[in-house]
Amino acid sequence: MKRILVSGGAGFLGSHLCDQLVAEGNQVTCLDNFFSGSEQNISHLLSQPNFKLLNQDVTHPLTIEVDEIYNLACPASPQLYQRFPIETFKASILGSLNLLELAKSTGAKIFQASTSEVYGDPQVHPQPESYFGNVNPIGPRACYDEGKRGAETLFFDYHRKHQVEIKVMRIFNTYGPRMSATDGRVVSNLILQALQGRDLSVFGDGTQTRSFCFVDDTIDAMRQLMDTSKEVKGPINIGNPTECTILELAKLILELTGSKSKLAFVPAAEDDPLRRRPNIELAKSIIKWEPQISLQEGLVKTIAYFDSYLD
Ligand code: UDP
């Protein structure tokens, strides 16, 4: 049994991670200020003796005895982080700094939830970890992209300077039950619109691509990376290499929901990356991981979640 801190533990990914860690009997502390996380995601855990909620902002320093730290605290939806760019940048940078200090003083291993956004609008396709990316440092997505890039810098400098054991994972688009219904991500938006008989909002011409990974696969990868030997630092890409256009996604959601909704094309978002697909060769060789759940299978589970959410 380990003492594990999950920052952002009430979020979409964080709450699924807490579920697994609690079920295995670990002593789990979930740190969240509910800026983008939700109490509903973790309400079922509150009665568990090995689960503790710390309602606190990751930008404030904290002292706690831990063996492992997962840092997931940061708004991750483009709509949300563009509305709150300064809060987002601070959560990434100050949050990482605080948790790295904690890792340094306790000797804990620390995991960083980095992102495919470090590649920006990529000119190399698919993206390997060795690609340095194409990020506009002053654009509307920079608060997130540069925040996460800066966090990676801090992780590697704490490792080099203070021998902190780090695990950096670059997470590509992930979807599944407990995605926020209001933060404007494409999978949640389109499913909700289809279920409610509203037009499906396709940004631009819908030819931009993403590669969607089901949450259970992503959580498995996080756990596996944390359990690697201390030489394994990352960064390591985690995502589903099956690429699809947003138009294909919209059509699949219409088919799976049986919805009669139409597609509505709306202007493209600024700096929206046109293509995104992970090269996962490193994940395959280092943690023997590749996604097990197809887009169709994962969407069926996610549609069922939003269906009951609307009831
Ligand atoms: N998108 C869309 N309709 C929506 C929301 C998003 O067409 O209602 C597009 C968006 O422009 C982007 C892709 O879907 O090209 C993925 O957007 P999301 O916000 O889910 O995540 P991102 O990968 O951009 O971080």
PDB file of all heavy atoms in Angstrom, residues 78 117 141 173 184-186 189 201-203 208 210 246 272 276, ligand 1:
ATOM      1  N   PRO A  78      -9.714  23.408 -24.595  1.00  0.00           N
ATOM      2  CA  PRO A  78      -9.361  24.680 -25.252  1.00  0.00           C
ATOM      3  C   PRO A  78     -10.327  25.815 -24.913  1.00  0.00           C
ATOM      4  O   PRO A  78      -9.907  26.956 -24.683  1.00  0.00           O
ATOM      5  CB  PRO A  78      -9.388  24.338 -26.739  1.00  0.00           C
ATOM      6  CG  PRO A  78      -9.099  22.874 -26.796  1.00  0.00           C
ATOM      7  CD  PRO A  78      -9.712  22.285 -25.560  1.00  0.00           C
ATOM      8  N   GLU A 117      -0.342  18.771 -26.998  1.00  0.00           N
ATOM      9  CA  GLU A 117      -0.294  20.197 -27.347  1.00  0.00           C
ATOM     10  C   GLU A 117       1.130  20.743 -27.319  1.00  0.00           C
ATOM     11  O   GLU A 117       1.377  21.823 -27.843  1.00  0.00           O
ATOM     12  CB  GLU A 117      -1.177  21.022 -26.413  1.00  0.00           C
ATOM     13  CG  GLU A 117      -2.668  20.888 -26.672  1.00  0.00           C
ATOM     14  CD  GLU A 117      -3.184  21.708 -27.854  1.00  0.00           C
ATOM     15  OE1 GLU A 117      -2.622  22.784 -28.145  1.00  0.00           O
ATOM     16  OE2 GLU A 117      -4.138  21.257 -28.499  1.00  0.00           O
ATOM     17  N   ARG A 141      -3.765  29.601 -27.637  1.00  0.00           N
ATOM     18  CA  ARG A 141      -3.560  28.294 -27.000  1.00  0.00           C
ATOM     19  C   ARG A 141      -2.273  28.248 -26.201  1.00  0.00           C
ATOM     20  O   ARG A 141      -1.977  27.255 -25.534  1.00  0.00           O
ATOM     21  CB  ARG A 141      -3.532  27.172 -28.068  1.00  0.00           C
ATOM     22  CG  ARG A 141      -4.841  26.978 -28.810  1.00  0.00           C
ATOM     23  CD  ARG A 141      -4.711  25.940 -29.908  1.00  0.00           C
ATOM     24  NE  ARG A 141      -4.961  24.600 -29.448  1.00  0.00           N
ATOM     25  CZ  ARG A 141      -6.099  23.917 -29.683  1.00  0.00           C
ATOM     26  NH1 ARG A 141      -7.084  24.462 -30.358  1.00  0.00           N
ATOM     27  NH2 ARG A 141      -6.246  22.687 -29.227  1.00  0.00           N
ATOM     28  N   ASN A 173      -5.531  13.167 -27.290  1.00  0.00           N
ATOM     29  CA  ASN A 173      -6.973  13.265 -27.002  1.00  0.00           C
ATOM     30  C   ASN A 173      -7.518  12.003 -26.344  1.00  0.00           C
ATOM     31  O   ASN A 173      -7.356  10.901 -26.882  1.00  0.00           O
ATOM     32  CB  ASN A 173      -7.756  13.527 -28.293  1.00  0.00           C
ATOM     33  CG  ASN A 173      -7.451  14.891 -28.864  1.00  0.00           C
ATOM     34  OD1 ASN A 173      -6.332  15.131 -29.318  1.00  0.00           O
ATOM     35  ND2 ASN A 173      -8.413  15.789 -28.834  1.00  0.00           N
ATOM     36  N   GLY A 184     -16.858  21.955 -23.734  1.00  0.00           N
ATOM     37  CA  GLY A 184     -16.728  22.222 -25.163  1.00  0.00           C
ATOM     38  C   GLY A 184     -15.799  21.307 -25.935  1.00  0.00           C
ATOM     39  O   GLY A 184     -15.418  21.627 -27.057  1.00  0.00           O
ATOM     40  N   ARG A 185     -15.389  20.166 -25.354  1.00  0.00           N
ATOM     41  CA  ARG A 185     -14.560  19.228 -26.122  1.00  0.00           C
ATOM     42  C   ARG A 185     -15.399  18.597 -27.227  1.00  0.00           C
ATOM     43  O   ARG A 185     -16.612  18.459 -27.106  1.00  0.00           O
ATOM     44  CB  ARG A 185     -14.015  18.092 -25.245  1.00  0.00           C
ATOM     45  CG  ARG A 185     -13.292  18.469 -23.988  1.00  0.00           C
ATOM     46  CD  ARG A 185     -12.073  19.292 -24.174  1.00  0.00           C
ATOM     47  NE  ARG A 185     -11.021  18.761 -25.018  1.00  0.00           N
ATOM     48  CZ  ARG A 185      -9.852  18.297 -24.583  1.00  0.00           C
ATOM     49  NH1 ARG A 185      -9.603  18.218 -23.310  1.00  0.00           N
ATOM     50  NH2 ARG A 185      -8.913  17.928 -25.426  1.00  0.00           N
ATOM     51  N   VAL A 186     -14.728  18.152 -28.274  1.00  0.00           N
ATOM     52  CA  VAL A 186     -15.482  17.706 -29.440  1.00  0.00           C
ATOM     53  C   VAL A 186     -16.323  16.460 -29.151  1.00  0.00           C
ATOM     54  O   VAL A 186     -17.485  16.381 -29.571  1.00  0.00           O
ATOM     55  CB  VAL A 186     -14.571  17.527 -30.678  1.00  0.00           C
ATOM     56  CG1 VAL A 186     -13.601  16.359 -30.533  1.00  0.00           C
ATOM     57  CG2 VAL A 186     -15.399  17.369 -31.937  1.00  0.00           C
ATOM     58  N   ASN A 189     -19.285  17.422 -26.791  1.00  0.00           N
ATOM     59  CA  ASN A 189     -20.211  18.307 -27.528  1.00  0.00           C
ATOM     60  C   ASN A 189     -21.067  17.532 -28.527  1.00  0.00           C
ATOM     61  O   ASN A 189     -22.293  17.641 -28.535  1.00  0.00           O
ATOM     62  CB  ASN A 189     -19.423  19.349 -28.329  1.00  0.00           C
ATOM     63  CG  ASN A 189     -19.263  20.655 -27.582  1.00  0.00           C
ATOM     64  OD1 ASN A 189     -19.609  20.743 -26.415  1.00  0.00           O
ATOM     65  ND2 ASN A 189     -18.748  21.666 -28.266  1.00  0.00           N
ATOM     66  N   SER A 201     -21.983  20.632 -34.037  1.00  0.00           N
ATOM     67  CA  SER A 201     -21.104  21.752 -34.395  1.00  0.00           C
ATOM     68  C   SER A 201     -19.760  21.231 -34.883  1.00  0.00           C
ATOM     69  O   SER A 201     -18.968  20.707 -34.105  1.00  0.00           O
ATOM     70  CB  SER A 201     -20.896  22.661 -33.175  1.00  0.00           C
ATOM     71  OG  SER A 201     -20.439  21.901 -32.065  1.00  0.00           O
ATOM     72  N   VAL A 202     -19.534  21.372 -36.185  1.00  0.00           N
ATOM     73  CA  VAL A 202     -18.248  20.964 -36.774  1.00  0.00           C
ATOM     74  C   VAL A 202     -17.467  22.245 -37.062  1.00  0.00           C
ATOM     75  O   VAL A 202     -17.925  23.098 -37.830  1.00  0.00           O
ATOM     76  CB  VAL A 202     -18.471  20.150 -38.069  1.00  0.00           C
ATOM     77  CG1 VAL A 202     -17.147  19.853 -38.760  1.00  0.00           C
ATOM     78  CG2 VAL A 202     -19.228  18.867 -37.759  1.00  0.00           C
ATOM     79  N   PHE A 203     -16.310  22.397 -36.427  1.00  0.00           N
ATOM     80  CA  PHE A 203     -15.524  23.618 -36.598  1.00  0.00           C
ATOM     81  C   PHE A 203     -14.748  23.530 -37.916  1.00  0.00           C
ATOM     82  O   PHE A 203     -14.170  22.475 -38.233  1.00  0.00           O
ATOM     83  CB  PHE A 203     -14.545  23.817 -35.438  1.00  0.00           C
ATOM     84  CG  PHE A 203     -15.205  24.065 -34.090  1.00  0.00           C
ATOM     85  CD1 PHE A 203     -14.430  24.218 -32.942  1.00  0.00           C
ATOM     86  CD2 PHE A 203     -16.585  24.177 -33.963  1.00  0.00           C
ATOM     87  CE1 PHE A 203     -15.021  24.442 -31.702  1.00  0.00           C
ATOM     88  CE2 PHE A 203     -17.191  24.409 -32.727  1.00  0.00           C
ATOM     89  CZ  PHE A 203     -16.396  24.540 -31.588  1.00  0.00           C
ATOM     90  N   GLN A 208      -9.895  18.561 -40.252  1.00  0.00           N
ATOM     91  CA  GLN A 208      -8.805  18.430 -39.266  1.00  0.00           C
ATOM     92  C   GLN A 208      -8.929  17.073 -38.581  1.00  0.00           C
ATOM     93  O   GLN A 208     -10.036  16.541 -38.453  1.00  0.00           O
ATOM     94  CB  GLN A 208      -8.829  19.590 -38.249  1.00  0.00           C
ATOM     95  CG  GLN A 208      -9.955  19.601 -37.240  1.00  0.00           C
ATOM     96  CD  GLN A 208     -11.203  20.318 -37.738  1.00  0.00           C
ATOM     97  OE1 GLN A 208     -11.535  20.251 -38.915  1.00  0.00           O
ATOM     98  NE2 GLN A 208     -11.915  20.986 -36.840  1.00  0.00           N
ATOM     99  N   ARG A 210      -7.894  14.187 -35.400  1.00  0.00           N
ATOM    100  CA  ARG A 210      -7.464  13.874 -34.041  1.00  0.00           C
ATOM    101  C   ARG A 210      -7.434  12.352 -33.932  1.00  0.00           C
ATOM    102  O   ARG A 210      -7.993  11.638 -34.779  1.00  0.00           O
ATOM    103  CB  ARG A 210      -8.441  14.430 -32.990  1.00  0.00           C
ATOM    104  CG  ARG A 210      -8.515  15.943 -32.883  1.00  0.00           C
ATOM    105  CD  ARG A 210      -7.221  16.558 -32.370  1.00  0.00           C
ATOM    106  NE  ARG A 210      -7.343  18.000 -32.130  1.00  0.00           N
ATOM    107  CZ  ARG A 210      -7.129  18.950 -33.042  1.00  0.00           C
ATOM    108  NH1 ARG A 210      -6.824  18.621 -34.293  1.00  0.00           N
ATOM    109  NH2 ARG A 210      -7.232  20.232 -32.711  1.00  0.00           N
ATOM    110  N   ILE A 246     -12.667  15.101 -38.003  1.00  0.00           N
ATOM    111  CA  ILE A 246     -13.788  15.479 -37.136  1.00  0.00           C
ATOM    112  C   ILE A 246     -15.116  15.150 -37.843  1.00  0.00           C
ATOM    113  O   ILE A 246     -16.092  14.752 -37.198  1.00  0.00           O
ATOM    114  CB  ILE A 246     -13.684  16.975 -36.745  1.00  0.00           C
ATOM    115  CG1 ILE A 246     -12.393  17.218 -35.931  1.00  0.00           C
ATOM    116  CG2 ILE A 246     -14.918  17.451 -35.991  1.00  0.00           C
ATOM    117  CD1 ILE A 246     -12.201  16.354 -34.689  1.00  0.00           C
ATOM    118  N   ASP A 272      -6.050  26.224 -34.345  1.00  0.00           N
ATOM    119  CA  ASP A 272      -6.507  24.842 -34.146  1.00  0.00           C
ATOM    120  C   ASP A 272      -5.563  23.902 -34.912  1.00  0.00           C
ATOM    121  O   ASP A 272      -5.447  24.024 -36.138  1.00  0.00           O
ATOM    122  CB  ASP A 272      -7.937  24.723 -34.710  1.00  0.00           C
ATOM    123  CG  ASP A 272      -8.631  23.444 -34.275  1.00  0.00           C
ATOM    124  OD1 ASP A 272      -8.095  22.741 -33.398  1.00  0.00           O
ATOM    125  OD2 ASP A 272      -9.714  23.156 -34.811  1.00  0.00           O
ATOM    126  N   ARG A 276      -3.302  15.514 -35.939  1.00  0.00           N
ATOM    127  CA  ARG A 276      -2.675  15.040 -34.697  1.00  0.00           C
ATOM    128  C   ARG A 276      -2.801  13.530 -34.611  1.00  0.00           C
ATOM    129  O   ARG A 276      -3.892  12.982 -34.694  1.00  0.00           O
ATOM    130  CB  ARG A 276      -3.333  15.704 -33.494  1.00  0.00           C
ATOM    131  CG  ARG A 276      -2.602  15.399 -32.213  1.00  0.00           C
ATOM    132  CD  ARG A 276      -3.295  15.974 -31.023  1.00  0.00           C
ATOM    133  NE  ARG A 276      -3.162  17.403 -30.926  1.00  0.00           N
ATOM    134  CZ  ARG A 276      -4.019  18.142 -30.243  1.00  0.00           C
ATOM    135  NH1 ARG A 276      -5.066  17.598 -29.666  1.00  0.00           N
ATOM    136  NH2 ARG A 276      -3.833  19.442 -30.158  1.00  0.00           N
TER     137      ARG A 276
HETATM  138  N1  UDP B   1     -14.315  20.742 -32.537  1.00  0.00           N
HETATM  139  C1  UDP B   1     -15.462  20.697 -33.332  1.00  0.00           C
HETATM  140  N2  UDP B   1     -16.674  20.900 -32.729  1.00  0.00           N
HETATM  141  C2  UDP B   1     -16.805  21.109 -31.402  1.00  0.00           C
HETATM  142  C3  UDP B   1     -15.634  21.138 -30.583  1.00  0.00           C
HETATM  143  C4  UDP B   1     -14.398  20.960 -31.202  1.00  0.00           C
HETATM  144  O1  UDP B   1     -15.383  20.506 -34.552  1.00  0.00           O
HETATM  145  O2  UDP B   1     -17.949  21.263 -30.924  1.00  0.00           O
HETATM  146  C5  UDP B   1     -12.998  20.468 -33.183  1.00  0.00           C
HETATM  147  C6  UDP B   1     -11.886  21.434 -32.795  1.00  0.00           C
HETATM  148  O3  UDP B   1     -11.863  22.540 -33.663  1.00  0.00           O
HETATM  149  C7  UDP B   1     -10.661  20.553 -32.937  1.00  0.00           C
HETATM  150  C8  UDP B   1     -11.148  19.165 -32.593  1.00  0.00           C
HETATM  151  O4  UDP B   1     -12.566  19.200 -32.736  1.00  0.00           O
HETATM  152  O5  UDP B   1     -10.216  20.556 -34.282  1.00  0.00           O
HETATM  153  C9  UDP B   1     -10.799  18.716 -31.183  1.00  0.00           C
HETATM  154  O6  UDP B   1     -11.189  19.730 -30.296  1.00  0.00           O
HETATM  155  P1  UDP B   1     -11.166  19.565 -28.726  1.00  0.00           P
HETATM  156  O7  UDP B   1     -11.569  20.885 -28.156  1.00  0.00           O
HETATM  157  O8  UDP B   1     -11.936  18.388 -28.289  1.00  0.00           O
HETATM  158  O9  UDP B   1      -9.651  19.229 -28.329  1.00  0.00           O
HETATM  159  P2  UDP B   1      -8.198  19.653 -28.874  1.00  0.00           P
HETATM  160  O10 UDP B   1      -7.691  18.425 -29.533  1.00  0.00           O
HETATM  161  O11 UDP B   1      -8.317  20.796 -29.842  1.00  0.00           O
HETATM  162  O12 UDP B   1      -7.459  20.012 -27.645  1.00  0.00           O
END
